[in-house]
Amino acid sequence: MNKQKKFLQVSTAALLSAAIAFPQAAAAVGPSTSAVQPYAALAATPVSTDFSHYVPRQYGVQLNGTVSREAFAAALNKIVAQANGITDKEAAATEYVEKASGKLSVLEAIRATLKAAQQQELAGTYSAEKVKAAWAKAGLTYDEKGDVSFEAAQELAAAIDLGLVRADVLKAQKPTGDVQAELAYQLLGKVAEFNGHAKNALGKISSDDIYGKVVQAWNESQIIKAGELQDLVDNILKQDLITGYNLKDAAFDPRFDPKRTITYGHSDIVHAIQLIGLLKSEGIDANVQLEPKTSAFIYLKEWGEPVQTENYQVVQIENGNYIAYSKEYDLSFEFASQEDKERFQPLVLQYAKKNDEEATGLLRASWWQPLYYSLTELKDYPVITNNYVQSGRHIVQTFSLNEDSSAVVNAFKKLGNEVEVKTYKFWVDQPFYHYLKGDDFK
């Protein structure tokens, strides 16, 4: 068994098993588990985010009670920085929150939020009539002769119409009152959202249009190119230091709750649609996000002249072999509960894993070694390591057995001293774990 095979992140496990022809052991994962009886039909529900849980989990921001001016400013800078790939110090230079003494009022927080969400010009278009109408939605009455300036009134009105602040939350606080944690979390979450850095989902399994959205996302994606970073990694590939890698675009990160999320990798979009349909038929709902992915690996010249397509391209290298680039995807599911997350594996093992060449009753293009994983612990899921390098929005990664991670890291370090190689452990399905060990089950 080629030792380097353990270092390969194989999203196209079926493709590479056939193409590379590594020795395969007939090691079954075990008997198929019967699927749970289906629930009642699901009703479509909109994708929504509870920012009081999302902001602390995603950004490490912890707020309680009355929020200080300094705490809100720091949190706002942190979110803007992460969303735009800059430092907190660079974000702070914009001074979203005006420097002043005393507590932070709702109106001041609204102004800072509008600025961070880049919506202040819109607020300036509001007439007195539009201001009054927007305020009324929150149960507020705008008095042109009152204490609130017209500019501040416009900003609050725009924030209400844009959904930066929920009317029910605003009703519990006076515009001139101090900012409380619930409102602050909502404002911060909306800044992340308006900067394209909040939860990223195409929709829910229960939505009637989810299938079309998934296919459209696939059709709009292309083989990912990462310029200089990819050139460097390809050089490592040519030196046989690794046998393959995955390339992803961080802009498509779902930012789901890891405790309720499973990510499933494949290359056939019809398989994805059937998998979503299977989950729906079993009464399971979840937020769905498709993340474009490109798998790169060595294609040996003795396999014959490769057939190139829009989704599968090769580049010949100096020794006559090729580097192949295959368009693929990761499909992330954020389930409604931990229990639904645990129901995922039995369904895959029964309906989306080949155990026999003549197997029937499976989803189209089911693999011998399906690939799906969780960032949090799950029973019967072995632990492996992801080794990755990120440059801007591009991520190069390769999965390995834990004991082989140091070899992969050392290979990546040949990219140069300026490259930071990161690793983390996560939980993967047993068939793919067998694949990494070399115990391929056909």
Side-chain angles (χ1 to χ4, degrees), residues 270-298:
V270 174
H271 183 87
I273 298 303
Q274 291 186 1
L275 179 60
I276 293 171
L278 173 64
L279 295 174
K280 186 173 184 178
S281 73
E282 294 288 334
I284 296 177
D285 203 5
N287 288 323
V288 180
Q289 171 65 352
L290 184 140
E291 302 174 68
K293 180 173 67 177
T294 293
S295 180
F297 56 93
I298 293 295

Side-chain angles (χ1 to χ4, degrees), residues 188-200:
L188 293 169
K190 284 296 181 178
V191 167
E193 190 175 277
F194 272 63
N195 279 273
H197 210 258
K199 185 176 290 189
N200 202 3

Side-chain angles (χ1 to χ4, degrees), residues 153-172:
Q154 287 176 305
E155 292 167 344
L156 179 56
I160 294 170
D161 281 349
L162 287 167
L164 293 179
V165 56
R166 291 205 324 264
D168 61 327
V169 174
L170 196 55
K171 285 179 182 178

Side-chain angles (χ1 to χ4, degrees), residues 11 43 48 54 91 196 201 249 252 255 268 327 344 372 439:
S11 292
S48 60
Y54 178 81
D249 186 337
F252 294 91
R255 304 183 191 91
D268 187 303
K327 172 182 168 181
F344 182 81
Y372 51 95
D439 302 329

Side-chain angles (χ1 to χ4, degrees), residues 133-428:
W135 278 47
K137 295 175 185 177
L140 300 172
T141 301
Y142 172 60
D143 181 359
E144 296 180 46
K145 298 180 180 180
D147 296 332
V148 178
S149 70
F150 183 59
E151 182 182 7
Q154 287 176 305
E155 292 167 344
L156 179 56
I160 294 170
D161 281 349
L162 287 167
L164 293 179
V165 56
R166 291 205 324 264
D168 61 327
V169 174
L170 196 55
K171 285 179 182 178
Q173 297 193 249
K174 294 180 179 179
T176 55
D178 302 330
V179 175
Q180 301 300 309
E182 183 180 7
L183 175 59
Y185 277 135
Q186 188 185 355
L187 294 174
L188 293 169
K190 284 296 181 178
V191 167
E193 190 175 277
F194 272 63
N195 279 273
H197 210 258
K199 185 176 290 189
N200 202 3
L202 293 173
K204 299 182 79 71
I205 288 175
S206 55
S207 301
D208 290 338
D209 62 353
I210 188 60
Y211 309 105
K213 287 183 175 180
V214 170
V215 173
Q216 183 67 20
W218 168 257
N219 290 342
E220 290 175 351
S221 67
Q222 299 177 331
I223 289 178
I224 302 171
K225 303 293 184 182
E228 184 179 354
L229 174 64
Q230 190 169 4
D231 292 340
L232 291 170
V233 183
D234 281 348
N235 283 331
I236 294 177
L237 201 57
K238 294 175 185 178
Q239 298 172 47
D240 293 328
L241 296 172
I242 57 174
T243 56
Y245 64 85
N246 275 170
L247 188 59
K248 296 186 71 173
D249 186 337
F252 294 91
D253 187 339
R255 304 183 191 91
F256 288 164
D257 182 352
K259 293 181 180 178
R260 296 185 287 116
T261 299
I262 281 180
T263 299
Y264 186 94
H266 210 282
S267 58
D268 187 303
I269 194 59
V270 174
H271 183 87
I273 298 303
Q274 291 186 1
L275 179 60
I276 293 171
L278 173 64
L279 295 174
K280 186 173 184 178
S281 73
E282 294 288 334
I284 296 177
D285 203 5
N287 288 323
V288 180
Q289 171 65 352
L290 184 140
E291 302 174 68
K293 180 173 67 177
T294 293
S295 180
F297 56 93
I298 293 295
Y299 182 103
L300 301 179
K301 57 185 177 183
E302 53 260 38
W303 297 342
E305 189 71 22
V307 178
Q308 302 207 58
T309 67
E310 183 180 356
N311 296 337
Y312 183 82
Q313 299 173 10
V314 299
V315 175
Q316 192 161 28
I317 55 181
E318 291 80 0
N319 62 4
N321 291 331
Y322 301 82
I323 297 178
Y325 304 96
S326 176
K327 172 182 168 181
E328 302 173 359
Y329 63 81
D330 277 342
L331 199 62
S332 289
F333 297 102
E334 182 184 45
F335 298 98
S337 65
Q338 174 75 19
E339 291 72 23
D340 279 355
K341 179 177 178 177
E342 292 171 359
R343 293 175 62 199
F344 182 81
Q345 175 157 269
L347 292 170
V348 171
L349 294 181
Q350 182 166 1
Y351 298 116
K353 184 200 178 317
K354 289 183 70 173
N355 291 306
D356 186 273
E357 195 68 59
E358 305 301 324
T360 59
L362 297 178
L363 303 185
R364 172 170 141 170
S366 291
W367 284 350
W368 297 101
Q369 299 92 8
L371 169 59
Y372 51 95
Y373 57 87
S374 168
L375 297 181
T376 59
E377 184 175 2
L378 280 174
K379 183 181 179 182
D380 299 326
Y381 284 59
V383 179
I384 64 172
T385 301
N386 188 15
N387 313 274
Y388 71 99
V389 174
Q390 182 166 0
S391 177
R393 56 192 279 178
H394 291 119
I395 299 170
V396 170
Q397 63 182 25
T398 183
F399 295 172
S400 72
L401 298 173
N402 297 330
E403 59 267 30
D404 296 328
S405 176
S406 59
V408 180
V409 170
N410 288 335
F412 272 138
K413 284 183 177 179
K414 293 185 180 296
L415 292 174
N417 295 329
E418 72 282 359
V419 174
E420 181 181 7
V421 186
K422 297 181 180 180
T423 66
Y424 62 82
K425 290 182 170 58
F426 62 108
W427 287 258
V428 73

